[in-house]
Structure formats: C-alpha cells, structure tokens
Amino acid sequence: MEDTRLQMMMLDIDGVLTKYNASVTDVLAAAQALATSAIGHLVNNGQCSMVNGQSLADAIAEQIREALHKRIAEGKKPDW
C-alpha cells in the first residue's frame, strides 16, 4: 500500500479511537486485535507460509518488536 493511502487509513482509525475516547491501553488492545485478525485472514487464505525459516506470524511479530524497540529508543517526541 502506498504511504499516503496508509497514512489516511491510520488517520481514519485514529479518528474512531478518538471518538470513543480510547485510552493508550485501548489503542494497544485494538492494535493487537487488528494484527491477530490480519494473521487470521492470511491463514484462512492459505497465505501463512514460512519466511526465512520462521512462520509468517513469527516474522510479523519480529517486525513489530523491532519497530517498538526502535520507537522506544527514540525517546520522548515533542509532537506526541
């Protein structure tokens, strides 16, 4: 998906979460549910194969872990 379209989708999701006064915990729970649902769709469509010797779910989890640790390492941002 192109960056602009992805950014617009994320703004839509943010708008819904804001509308329902989602807490940080709510946002994390929603993110986990979205990721789990996406993996479920891949499994249901027979697309959950091995990537570099690990399952697709493990590969995605590793990417998320790396992104989270990178963001943590960046520290506090003034615009957040």
Side-chain angles (χ1 to χ4, degrees):
M1 180 179 293
E2 64 193 59
D3 287 345
T4 303
R5 191 167 171 211
L6 181 61
Q7 188 176 27
M8 296 305 292
M9 184 175 63
M10 293 301 296
L11 287 171
D12 286 343
I13 292 168
D14 183 61
V16 170
L17 293 170
T18 300
K19 177 181 175 183
Y20 289 96
N21 298 313
S23 67
V24 172
T25 303
D26 296 332
V27 172
L28 288 170
Q32 181 180 1
L34 284 168
T36 302
S37 177
I39 294 293
H41 285 287
L42 291 173
V43 170
N44 289 343
N45 293 327
Q47 296 173 312
C48 202
S49 59
M50 300 296 280
V51 176
N52 295 327
Q54 64 183 168
S55 74
L56 181 59
D58 286 336
I60 292 169
E62 181 63 22
Q63 283 186 329
I64 291 170
R65 186 192 70 74
E66 288 175 9
L68 289 172
H69 284 283
K70 180 182 177 209
R71 177 57 188 93
I72 291 166
E74 291 172 356
K76 185 176 180 179
K77 291 188 173 188
D79 61 336
W80 286 33

